[in-house]
Amino acid sequence: MASLSFLLLLLLLAVSATFLPSSMAASPSFRTLDANAHFFNPKLPAKSFSSSKKFEGSSDFVNLRYHMGPVLSSSPINIYLVWYGKWSVSQKFLIKDFLLSISAPGPRRAPPSPSVAEWWQTVSLYTDQTGANVSRSVVIAGEHSDLHHSHGTDLTRLSIQQVIATAVRSAPFPVDHRNGMFLVLTSQDVTMQDFCRAVCGFHYFTFPSMVGYTLPYAWVGHSGKQCPEQCAYPFAVPAYMAGGGPGVLSPPNRDVALDGMISVIGHELAEVASNPLVNAWYAGEDPTAPTEIADLCEGLYGTGGGGGYIGQVMRDGEGRTFNVNGRNGRKFLLQWLWSPVLKACAGPNALD
């Protein structure tokens, strides 16, 4: 029975992944809204701006249900960061600026709308069985740098839990199974089981037998050298699309891999918050292969999106593509999320 249980646990590790985008966009049309930013859609013709497509992906067939498990409702959500491999100071600052942009700041410090905090409002609509909402406050409660790849540079879904166990023992991070989560980020020289081939990130929870506790976590990999055309889309596109697909969009922070990675981090954080132990919010009957709130909106970034179109997003005066604003003047491109109220994909940059 012990060996059978272990096999079942391995099977469960296949859940909750950010899968590679299944479709791409094409050349842009423009619509000027003010002197500093332009809304544009990399595929739809200009006449499409007259149609109302505020919330894309709407369907009566989507059966997203609550399965009675917890959500991350305690305020704040404590994120424990594990930097696996070598990361530059500027890369760390960029990712941490995104994470800290999730919390709604005071009115004097609020970034322009649409903002990352407004994007997270969709996640905060999800509740547990007591009616408690996902928290709208996030802090970085601890960081651990594993510079020398304590578990090698070729990881598996199971060995990522060993990385977390090492961080817990050496940091030491507090045991925070009610208020927090681990976020493991691997550097560009690290390979991961199924990375690039099938997924760009995934989330799950740790096994007490490996870490000592049941703790929600997410993993996201750096795709800079391995597969930017898959995991940093739409800032990089596959070679087979050259001449027939979209022009490569300019990343908002001038870093193709990191800007693409932040979009995946956002995807995984939204799903951890609403489904931390894979028994809360998801569609489908099989918990080993759930369809979660970000999966339902994969590839949608703005009004008019769907069917391979990313939707109408924004471009600043320097040509950088984004759809939300963050702290310290940062800009990000984040996919939309499924709203339990609207029963559709939604984001703060919707045009109507």
Side-chain angles (χ1 to χ4, degrees), residues 258-270:
L258 265 290
D259 279 303
M261 190 176 186
I262 284 170
S263 182
V264 180
I265 291 172
H267 177 120
E268 296 302 332
L269 289 183

Side-chain angles (χ1 to χ4, degrees), residues 2 40 50-51 53 58 107 225 231 271 278 309 348-349:
F40 75 101
S50 62
S51 62
K53 281 179 170 271
S58 177
K225 289 185 176 180
C231 293
E271 294 185 344
V278 201
Y309 311 142
N349 59 307

Side-chain angles (χ1 to χ4, degrees), residues 56-74:
E56 305 304 327
S58 177
S59 174
D60 293 333
F61 297 103
V62 173
N63 186 23
L64 184 74
R65 294 192 299 113
Y66 178 55
H67 295 79
M68 304 306 291
V71 300
L72 296 185
S73 58
S74 296

Side-chain angles (χ1 to χ4, degrees), residues 309-320:
Y309 311 142
I310 72 168
Q312 296 168 57
V313 291
M314 291 175 280
R315 190 169 71 174
D316 67 12
E318 299 180 16
R320 298 178 298 174

Side-chain angles (χ1 to χ4, degrees), residues 109-195:
R109 298 168 49 204
S113 183
S115 68
V116 176
E118 291 170 337
W119 171 82
W120 189 259
Q121 286 179 16
T122 298
V123 187
S124 69
L125 295 172
Y126 288 88
T127 63
D128 64 14
Q129 57 186 305
T130 71
N133 294 78
V134 169
S135 174
R136 293 182 59 184
S137 179
V138 166
V139 298
I140 298 172
E143 296 180 65
H144 172 67
S145 293
D146 194 329
L147 292 173
H148 302 294
H149 309 94
S150 62
H151 296 277
T153 58
D154 187 10
L155 301 178
T156 66
R157 290 173 180 262
L158 199 58
S159 66
I160 203 70
Q161 297 201 25
Q162 296 172 335
V163 171
I164 295 173
T166 297
V168 169
R169 289 192 299 267
S170 62
F173 286 151
V175 178
D176 191 6
H177 64 285
R178 292 185 180 274
N179 305 320
M181 60 163 289
F182 281 87
L183 177 58
V184 183
L185 306 175
T186 52
S187 56
Q188 62 183 354
D189 57 341
V190 176
T191 60
M192 166 64 73
Q193 176 188 0
D194 293 331
F195 184 38

Side-chain angles (χ1 to χ4, degrees), residues 11-19 157 198-205 216-220 264-265 267-283 286-295 298:
L11 177 62
L12 285 170
L13 282 173
V15 306
S16 307
T18 306
F19 291 92
R157 290 173 180 262
V199 299
C200 300
F202 61 80
H203 77 89
Y204 202 56
F205 53 85
Y217 73 89
W219 163 82
V220 179
V264 180
I265 291 172
H267 177 120
E268 296 302 332
L269 289 183
E271 294 185 344
V272 173
S274 58
N275 196 28
L277 300 182
V278 201
N279 62 355
W281 290 95
Y282 63 87
D286 184 359
T288 66
T291 299
E292 299 171 286
I293 69 169
D295 298 327
E298 190 81 57

